[in-house]
Amino acid sequence: MTSSTPDTTPAATGTGLPDDYRPWPALWAMVIGFFMILLDNTIVSVATPDIIRELGTDFTNGIWVTSAYLLAYAVPLLITGRLGDRFGPKNVYLIGLVIFTLASLWCGLTGSIEGLIVARVVQGFGAALMTPQTMAVITRTFPAANRGSAMALWGATAGVATLVGPILGGVLVDLAGWEWIFIINVPVGVIGFVLAVRLVPVLPTHTRSFDLVGVALSAIGMFLLVFGIQEGEKYDWGQIDGFLSVPLLIGGGVLVLAVFFWWQTRVRTEPLVPLSLFRDRNFAVANIGIALISAAITAMALPFMFYAQGARGWSPIQAGLFMLPMAIVLIALSPYVGRLVDTVHPRTITLVGFSTAAVAMAWTGMLIDVDTPAWQLLVPMALFGVSNACLWAPHGATATRNLPMSAAGAGAGVYNTTRQVAAALGSAAIASLIGARLSANGLDGGAESFQAAGGSMPAQVQGPFAQAMAEAYWLPVACFTIGIVVVLFFRAPNHDREPAVDTERVTSAD
């Protein structure tokens, strides 16, 4: 995750920054926090069996350790993106970093499952405050024509965090205990805070009215939708209690969100989501693309981990190491792809990304079997690293290239909300598909089968279980195949045209 000119490239005309301002140090400072919060999306899954055992709880409560974080992260993203516009991305980022770091310490020190779940909610809210600000700072400090390298770093951070979470989680759990997947965030958060205070500039704010009705509608709608999706598998997509059901929650969430979008068309002052953003075809297409990427990557990790630890009996560290080729290839290619993003049609790069991803996932699915040599699984994983390098950065850069500076926070909030909600959808969908394929292969599809994947498995079960995990790869293959069609609608960006910019000048961070 390097750039060819990280310390020498000044901001060009069109960013509203002084001519001698150098944006790379600020971005590197924020990347530390961004990597940390994204890592928490995947690292906890490896530790869940140990958390369940040591805190004396059940499978359902163990899943809530992840679900609580996901809910608290996804629901406020639209709002926190706008908060960055209103109060400044640096201020909102620092507040979020403090909340996230203290909540991480709380998670590591808690002695009950209830305390851990509450701490994870607070941690997720801190992450929601931080995430949109990283993308908004890129949009507001890098000129549009040179934004590709910055987005390559942002995209590589997102990709590497997603892929190395299981590796780092396995190491920490095996060597130090599950508490350390949270405690390790504390020194990282302190370092990130000091660097952000020193290096991130104070950018102009935009004092306008705040859409309180939109805030309420988006929060309620997002909560109902994500909660319903997360709880769907637990309640077999049926009744929860009395009249309350999973379809009612999901349907209610969709209805409230529909009312929210209708309301956005009626707001005459400052809508929470400026729908005019979607008049830019590339912004709209990039949002669809990142949704497919996020859902597919979330969906591909779970069946592989179940297969590796269940059907093959590999340890968490051994299972996590299969993600290493992806991370290595992604890190190696990201700087080169970042430079291409500024010069090559985004359709070209993203077509390579989606095509290689579809091939890599189909290949992995065909290889998942109890007798497959381990080294053969590494090859499609390496190919998937190529895919990630050609997907994350091009989508981020293309989505934000023509955003007006005053809407940078709103655009980042929409984009990151799309990504996070799609991850929730992918998680729910793959859980449902795994259950269906386990039943189709003569195995129980309930929670007990998922728990069995974390321990020893009878020999007569290994074959059908591996087959079910292989068939679950239909979902990520389908997502990436659809993506091939979606990115055909990308337009070539006009590098000579800068988006509308702020007239205010940035103040020094020092």
Side-chain angles (χ1 to χ4, degrees):
M1 292 183 296
T2 59
S3 170
S4 57
T5 56
D7 298 316
T8 60
T9 303
T13 302
T15 62
L17 294 161
D19 292 338
D20 61 348
Y21 175 75
R22 304 183 188 282
W24 278 101
L27 178 57
W28 276 106
M30 298 185 82
V31 156
I32 294 174
F34 184 51
F35 181 83
M36 184 171 61
I37 60 179
L38 289 177
L39 197 68
D40 252 50
N41 278 344
T42 56
I43 196 172
V44 176
S45 60
V46 178
T48 299
D50 284 67
I51 291 173
I52 291 172
R53 183 176 64 254
E54 293 190 21
L55 294 184
T57 188
D58 57 19
F59 180 82
T60 301
N61 284 331
I63 290 296
W64 260 107
V65 175
T66 297
S67 297
Y69 179 82
L70 183 62
L71 278 167
Y73 189 177
V75 169
L77 277 172
L78 283 176
I79 303 164
T80 57
R82 297 302 285 167
L83 287 176
D85 288 337
R86 176 64 181 83
F87 299 104
K90 177 177 181 176
N91 294 330
V92 177
Y93 175 85
L94 289 174
I95 292 171
L97 182 57
V98 170
I99 293 173
F100 184 92
T101 303
L102 292 177
S104 296
L105 181 61
W106 182 4
C107 289
L109 297 178
T110 189
S112 69
I113 190 64
E114 295 81 9
L116 181 58
I117 291 172
V118 173
R120 287 284 281 168
V121 170
V122 178
Q123 192 185 36
F125 179 69
L129 287 170
M130 295 167 64
T131 298
Q133 316 317 323
T134 59
M135 197 170 181
V137 166
I138 292 175
T139 303
R140 296 179 65 179
T141 59
F142 285 84
N146 298 318
R147 202 172 289 153
S149 294
M151 277 298 171
L153 176 61
W154 185 89
T157 301
V160 171
T162 301
L163 300 176
V164 305
I167 302 173
L168 182 59
V171 171
L172 289 173
V173 170
D174 281 356
L175 299 183
W178 65 266
E179 297 89 347
W180 282 91
I181 67 173
F182 301 112
I183 295 174
I184 196 173
N185 290 336
V186 176
V188 177
V190 171
I191 294 170
F193 184 88
V194 172
L195 291 176
V197 168
R198 176 70 180 170
L199 299 175
V200 177
V202 177
L203 295 166
T205 59
H206 305 276
T207 306
R208 301 188 180 116
S209 61
F210 207 69
D211 179 17
L212 296 179
V213 175
V215 169
L217 288 172
S218 65
I220 293 170
M222 289 292 298
F223 177 81
L224 290 174
L225 180 62
V226 176
F227 184 86
I229 292 169
Q230 285 294 297
E231 292 294 283
E233 181 66 21
K234 173 184 174 182
Y235 293 101
D236 198 25
W237 305 96
Q239 293 299 118
I240 297 177
D241 186 28
F243 73 93
L244 193 62
S245 67
V246 172
L248 181 63
L249 286 175
I250 296 175
V254 171
L255 179 61
V256 173
L257 287 176
V259 174
F260 164 73
F261 283 109
W262 170 82
W263 172 252
Q264 296 302 285
T265 67
R266 311 297 295 176
V267 177
R268 302 301 181 192
T269 51
E270 184 72 9
L272 189 61
V273 176
L275 297 181
S276 59
L277 292 173
F278 291 94
R279 295 173 188 164
D280 184 328
R281 183 198 290 182
N282 280 359
F283 182 81
V285 171
N287 271 269
I288 298 172
I290 197 63
L292 292 166
I293 295 165
S294 187
I297 289 179
T298 302
M300 64 79 62
L302 191 60
F304 186 85
M305 288 299 162
F306 284 165
Y307 157 74
Q309 296 184 48
R312 301 303 295 267
W314 293 326
S315 70
I317 291 179
Q318 290 172 324
L321 287 175
F322 280 91
M323 303 294 173
L324 193 59
M326 296 187 218
I328 293 173
V329 173
L330 173 59
I331 293 170
L333 289 183
S334 288
Y336 303 101
V337 173
R339 288 193 289 271
L340 288 176
V341 168
D342 291 327
T343 57
V344 176
H345 197 301
R347 183 190 306 145
T348 303
I349 303 175
T350 52
L351 272 176
V352 173
F354 275 114
S355 300
T356 55
V359 171
M361 292 299 94
W363 191 355
T364 302
M366 289 187 290
L367 287 176
I368 287 181
D369 186 78
V370 292
D371 297 320
T372 301
W375 69 267
Q376 291 187 15
L377 293 164
L378 298 175
V379 182
M381 293 295 182
L383 179 62
F384 195 50
V386 176
S387 311
N388 277 267
C390 295
L391 289 174
W392 290 97
H395 274 82
T398 305
T400 59
R401 190 178 299 278
N402 293 324
L403 289 184
M405 295 297 178
S406 61
V414 171
Y415 187 83
N416 283 288
T417 299
T418 300
R419 177 179 58 81
Q420 193 64 24
V421 171
L425 287 166
S427 177
I430 196 63
S432 179
L433 182 57
I434 286 173
R437 299 322 302 164
L438 286 171
S439 296
N441 283 275
L443 300 175
D444 177 23
E448 293 78 11
S449 293
F450 292 99
Q451 285 179 291
S456 59
M457 183 175 290
Q460 66 271 22
V461 175
Q462 291 175 350
F465 187 89
Q467 180 64 27
M469 298 305 106
E471 292 167 355
Y473 266 75
W474 296 342
L475 179 57
V477 170
C479 288
F480 287 127
T481 303
I482 294 170
I484 294 172
V485 178
V486 169
V487 298
L488 293 176
F489 293 91
F490 270 135
R491 285 176 172 166
N494 185 350
H495 295 284
D496 297 325
R497 180 174 68 84
E498 291 288 346
V501 298
D502 302 311
T503 56
E504 302 98 328
R505 300 290 284 181
V506 67
T507 59
S508 173
D510 300 325

